[in-house]
Amino acid sequence: MSKENDRDVLLYAPFESFVHTTFWHKLSQIKLEVDKLKEDARSIWGCYTCTTPPAMCSVHVDFSSFNHDFQDQPLALPMLGTIINKNTLESFKEYDKVQLLEEYGQNLLSSITTTEALKNPTLLSRFILLTYADLKKYHFYYWFAFPAMNLPTIKLLSPPRKLNSVFNGDQMQQLLDAYTNIKDWKQRPFFLVQVQSGNVSIRPLCDINLLNQRPHKENENNITNSLYLGFADPSVLPANPGWPLRNLLALVLYHCKGILGKQLQLVALRLQKCGDGQSWSVFSSLVLNIELPTEENAPPKATPSWIGWQRNEKGKFGPRLAKLSSSMDPAKLAETSVQLNLKLMKWRLVPDLDLDVVREIRCLLLGAGTLGCAVARTLLAWGVQTITFVDSGTVSFSNPVRQSLYTYKDCLNGGRPKAVAAAEFMKIIFPGVNASGYQLHMPMPGHTVGEVMLPEVKKTVLKLEQLIEDHDVIFLLTDSRESRWLPTVIATSKQKLVMTAALGFDTFVVMRHGMRHQMKDVAVAPDDLQLGCYFCSDVLAPGNSQVDRTLDQQCTVTRPGVSSLAASLVVELMVSVLQHPLRGHAPAEGVSDTNKTASYDSQSALGIVPHSIRGFLSSYEQMICVSHAFQNCTACSKMVIQEYQQQGFAFLMAVFNNPHYLEDITGLTEIHQKSEDAEVWELSDTSDTD
């Protein structure tokens, strides 16, 4: 067809897509948390407008597109869409786009041939969005299609005219008022414009049969009686209406057989801001005078075909690519990326994994040395958001090679406080973590507290009590036995989950402390099966182990790999405990089956939940052990907890200053005496025999 003849043919301005970044964020969330590996089609909303100046013929989608109902806004024109998100780039590329367009075109045709589109005109404007989301790089491949019937040639009988060349000022104002007062957003995109006795009104599209009997009389520029087919036109081109007109004309071809091959007048409604920036004008609207095809050339005698795939930035039919990694807030990108691998576990491997409880757990790490650093890094990998360090030491030159949260600079000028340096480095690794550090000198049994030290020790105890109260899981990672006693007592009293990791030269022990349940009607292990704490296997009270120690005894001397093994296991054990329905009260693997009921299932979503794990690097072995609470335990027994709760700091001072106090109140002194008496009697019996 020649260029001269092109002026006589109705041509349409195609839709352009505008995807807000919030749309991709919402799609990522749905992919990770809801759809996972599913590729099912999902209904979404888009919108366009007949107002200027937006981008020409643009369809907008954002986070609200995934709402169940359309989020109505003044003058917004809804567009119902379908998104199909593929799991791989290959399946995205190989998807049969022709078949997809044909399938949704037939759905559109069904709405046209029935009365659905007449009752709900928004069904005439739809879109398809085929996507692939690369959530590692935050690259989104996408391709929009706006299905439209490939209509036979429709002639323009005259060039498009501005509305003010046909309607007078009062009529244009009446048209504007009638349109802006449409309350039902389903009726905004397509309608009829009726002129009776010079007055303009809008009729719903379901009255389209009136076109078969329309009167039309013109008196210069003043129309007295007429009926127009109207639509909200997103185009700003002076001679080309927007894409929605295609399917509106298809509707006419099916429902208005009486005017096929005849003239039809259209109002392409375009709203423009007035000079005051507040009110609207229809001045830029167009009036189109077209000739419809004859019945022989129109559907259904001519089988309809479908078009609508959007061209890319190069003007070719193909997908587009949105790269969000460079435009996203780096901290937010880091946060979503951290969660990605964790959420992938739920897709196939562990669907019942509760990541929220892990992310929201508040962890207090007592000790920021080799174990503390390794535990913190593993907690970070599990997505834990709140991690607090407590340590009394400073970073020395021997630390950075074994303790992963410190660098050489932390050792200079006498060394930075470990807890503070560790918390700061955690934020360098991942800015989204809530990490903090406190330098506290832990009061310990057998470490005498003089009058001068009393205020500082009392302040430290109060701070430690508050920290334990504010956290959910307490990790005991210090390098001496007695430094674990005070936090064990406080945490047991406050019903906190306590995790312990301790190292030898080539051995380690990892365990969770047993918790006594104070609630009734809860299926937990009975008292005789109560799991023990770190001190339950000892018959000696913790004392001052810092006295008279050589250099090798003052330092933690272990094979370098032992701490990583223990740190990984203690965190994995904590996560397994959190996945069990009974949490910290979960029974341990190895408890005798004679007292075990169905509610004592020791399995969590991640497997068994042992009490303690002992490792031996020399033989590359691990053992799962169970030990029950010792009624004379110096840390978790009822006598100790009762004394702490009743006497408070006075009880603690007695323990700090008297190395035998704990043994006396727990009955260990009596046990020792009976043991010595038994030895004496045994020796006496032996002497008599001789």
Side-chain angles (χ1 to χ4, degrees):
M1 185 177 290
S2 67
K3 291 184 178 179
E4 184 176 353
N5 290 334
D6 279 350
R7 300 193 193 101
D8 301 330
V9 175
L10 184 63
L11 300 176
Y12 313 88
F15 270 127
E16 288 291 329
S17 59
F18 178 84
V19 186
H20 197 276
T21 54
T22 58
F23 178 86
W24 300 124
H25 292 311
K26 187 65 176 179
L27 176 62
S28 302
Q29 178 187 355
I30 291 174
K31 176 65 176 175
L32 290 172
E33 299 178 3
V34 181
D35 289 349
K36 301 173 185 177
L37 291 174
K38 293 189 295 185
E39 296 181 334
D40 299 341
R42 176 184 291 273
S43 295
I44 59 174
W45 290 100
C47 72
Y48 64 101
T49 179
C50 63
T51 62
T52 55
M56 183 185 72
C57 256
S58 58
V59 174
H60 292 242
V61 291
D62 61 13
F63 72 96
S64 65
S65 297
F66 294 92
N67 293 349
H68 183 269
D69 298 315
F70 177 67
Q71 186 172 337
D72 188 21
Q73 298 177 11
L75 302 179
L77 302 169
M79 181 178 282
L80 184 61
T82 300
I83 184 172
I84 303 172
N85 188 35
K86 305 301 292 180
N87 282 324
T88 66
L89 182 58
E90 289 72 20
S91 61
F92 170 82
K93 292 178 178 178
E94 295 170 0
Y95 203 93
D96 191 338
K97 282 82 174 177
V98 175
Q99 177 60 35
L100 180 63
L101 191 61
E102 176 67 22
E103 177 185 344
Y104 281 86
Q106 291 302 318
N107 293 338
L108 180 58
L109 180 60
S110 175
S111 298
I112 290 174
T113 55
T114 63
T115 59
E116 283 186 271
L118 293 176
K119 296 176 181 177
N120 181 7
T122 60
L123 296 177
L124 293 175
S125 293
R126 305 186 190 184
F127 68 93
I128 308 166
L129 178 53
L130 184 64
T131 62
Y132 163 65
D134 182 347
L135 298 184
K136 287 190 174 181
K137 299 179 180 178
Y138 269 80
H139 289 181
F140 298 88
Y141 297 83
Y142 66 101
W143 199 350
F144 275 88
F146 304 97
M149 188 178 292
N150 192 9
L151 299 172
T153 300
I154 294 179
K155 295 181 180 179
L156 271 173
L157 298 179
S158 60
R161 293 177 290 173
K162 283 291 186 70
L163 186 65
N164 66 341
S165 67
V166 180
F167 286 17
N168 61 34
D170 289 340
Q171 290 173 327
M172 289 194 294
Q173 186 61 46
Q174 290 171 4
L175 176 61
L176 175 63
D177 293 342
Y179 182 76
T180 54
N181 286 326
I182 296 176
K183 302 301 181 184
D184 185 357
W185 50 263
K186 295 178 182 178
Q187 304 299 325
R188 287 179 194 156
F190 307 102
F191 44 86
L192 300 175
V193 178
Q194 187 173 42
V195 182
Q196 283 186 325
S197 303
N199 295 318
V200 178
S201 61
I202 286 180
R203 298 183 68 98
L205 190 62
C206 59
D207 293 338
I208 197 170
N209 285 328
L210 293 175
L211 290 174
N212 291 313
Q213 44 187 322
R214 68 195 188 287
H216 183 79
K217 295 181 181 179
E218 288 190 17
N219 180 15
E220 295 181 353
N221 289 341
N222 182 24
I223 296 180
T224 56
N225 292 284
S226 188
L227 187 65
Y228 294 81
L229 183 64
F231 70 102
D233 187 10
S235 174
V236 295
L237 298 179
N240 304 103
W243 198 255
L245 179 57
R246 278 186 170 274
N247 290 332
L248 178 60
L249 291 177
L251 184 79
V252 171
L253 298 182
Y254 277 91
H255 289 275
C256 300
K257 302 293 185 181
I259 60 173
L260 294 183
K262 298 180 181 180
Q263 175 184 350
L264 176 64
Q265 295 208 93
L266 310 170
V267 171
L269 187 67
R270 301 176 179 181
L271 302 184
Q272 188 173 18
K273 280 285 186 182
C274 297
D276 59 8
Q278 301 294 325
S279 55
W280 294 98
S281 166
V282 295
F283 180 82
S284 58
S285 301
L286 300 179
V287 176
L288 306 172
N289 191 14
I290 65 172
E291 181 180 279
L292 295 174
T294 62
E295 188 171 357
E296 289 73 19
N297 296 323
K301 290 190 176 181
T303 303
S305 59
W306 302 92
I307 58 176
W309 285 108
Q310 183 184 10
R311 296 178 184 269
N312 59 23
E313 298 89 338
K314 298 179 180 179
K316 299 181 179 180
F317 287 107
R320 302 186 179 203
L321 173 61
K323 297 181 179 181
L324 263 64
S325 55
S326 59
S327 61
M328 289 179 65
D329 177 6
K332 184 65 177 178
L333 180 59
E335 181 179 348
T336 53
S337 298
V338 164
Q339 293 297 319
L340 175 60
N341 284 340
L342 295 172
K343 290 180 178 179
L344 293 180
M345 295 182 191
K346 292 173 64 71
W347 288 12
R348 294 184 194 269
L349 302 175
V350 196
D352 297 329
L353 184 63
D354 188 347
L355 291 174
D356 291 337
V357 70
V358 179
R359 182 174 60 252
E360 295 168 4
I361 207 76
R362 299 166 299 176
C363 294
L364 177 63
L365 277 56
L366 301 178
T370 307
L371 272 174
C373 291
V375 165
R377 292 298 298 263
T378 311
L379 289 172
L380 207 57
W382 264 108
V384 175
Q385 295 288 294
T386 302
I387 302 173
T388 303
F389 297 90
V390 171
D391 198 287
S392 62
T394 56
V395 183
S396 66
F397 286 101
S398 64
N399 292 154
V401 295
R402 296 179 296 111
Q403 300 173 10
S404 59
L405 298 180
Y406 310 122
T407 66
Y408 169 76
K409 291 183 179 180
D410 295 321
C411 310
L412 303 178
N413 303 315
R416 299 184 64 204
K418 279 189 172 182
V420 176
E424 290 181 4
F425 199 81
M426 290 283 282
K427 293 180 180 179
I428 293 175
I429 297 169
F430 175 49
V433 68
N434 177 22
S436 55
Y438 298 89
Q439 188 175 28
L440 297 178
H441 293 268
M442 189 74 67
M444 294 176 272
H447 292 242
T448 303
V449 177
E451 290 295 328
V452 176
M453 300 169 57
L454 188 59
E456 184 64 27
V457 170
K458 190 170 186 178
K459 181 180 177 181
T460 298
V461 170
L462 290 174
K463 183 62 178 179
L464 185 62
E465 288 175 332
Q466 187 60 54
L467 286 171
I468 292 176
E469 177 67 33
D470 293 342
H471 291 76
D472 306 302
V473 181
I474 316 302
F475 284 87
L476 305 185
L477 310 170
T478 53
D479 56 4
S480 69
R481 178 168 168 263
E482 63 265 32
S483 61
R484 301 165 188 253
W485 178 83
L486 179 57
T488 298
V489 172
I490 298 173
T492 302
S493 173
K494 296 180 180 294
Q495 287 287 298
K496 301 293 183 177
L497 176 60
V498 179
M499 309 297 300
T500 286
L503 307 178
F505 167 65
D506 57 1
T507 61
F508 63 83
V509 61
V510 165
M511 68 182 301
R512 58 183 173 107
H513 291 202
M515 294 179 66
R516 290 182 173 84
H517 211 295
Q518 298 177 344
M519 297 175 62
K520 296 181 179 180
D521 302 324
V522 178
V524 295
D527 290 340
D528 60 338
L529 294 182
Q530 177 68 48
L531 299 178
C533 76
Y534 178 69
F535 295 92
C536 280
S537 58
D538 293 332
V539 292
L540 293 175
N544 191 343
S545 62
Q546 310 296 314
V547 177
D548 195 27
R549 298 207 305 178
T550 60
L551 180 61
D552 63 313
Q553 294 171 327
Q554 296 173 30
C555 301
T556 304
V557 181
T558 65
R559 291 175 62 172
V562 174
S563 60
S564 299
L565 293 172
S568 298
L569 285 172
V570 76
V571 174
E572 293 296 331
L573 179 56
M574 179 206 74
V575 175
S576 292
V577 169
L578 296 178
Q579 300 304 309
H580 194 282
L582 297 179
R583 302 288 173 84
H585 304 284
E589 179 74 8
V591 174
S592 173
D593 289 336
T594 57
N595 293 306
K596 191 173 182 181
T597 66
S599 62
Y600 284 4
D601 188 4
S602 60
Q603 295 279 331
S604 77
L606 294 172
I608 66 170
V609 187
H611 176 220
S612 65
I613 307 167
R614 296 181 181 271
F616 307 90
L617 198 55
S618 60
S619 57
Y620 294 94
E621 291 180 328
Q622 283 183 188
M623 294 174 54
I624 295 178
C625 306
V626 177
S627 59
H628 302 305
F630 180 33
Q631 65 178 355
N632 302 97
C633 177
T634 57
C636 74
S637 64
K638 292 181 180 179
M639 296 84 76
V640 171
I641 301 304
Q642 184 176 344
E643 285 293 310
Y644 166 70
Q645 292 175 340
Q646 292 178 355
Q647 303 297 327
F649 188 69
F651 163 71
L652 298 180
M653 284 296 295
V655 174
F656 300 153
N657 291 328
N658 184 348
H660 303 294
Y661 185 74
L662 280 175
E663 295 180 358
D664 291 341
I665 67 168
T666 58
L668 286 179
T669 301
E670 183 179 352
I671 292 175
H672 295 162
Q673 186 61 49
K674 289 180 179 180
S675 177
E676 291 175 2
D677 291 345
E679 291 179 3
V680 170
W681 281 108
E682 183 178 351
L683 289 173
S684 176
D685 291 341
T686 303
S687 299
D688 291 342
T689 303
D690 292 342

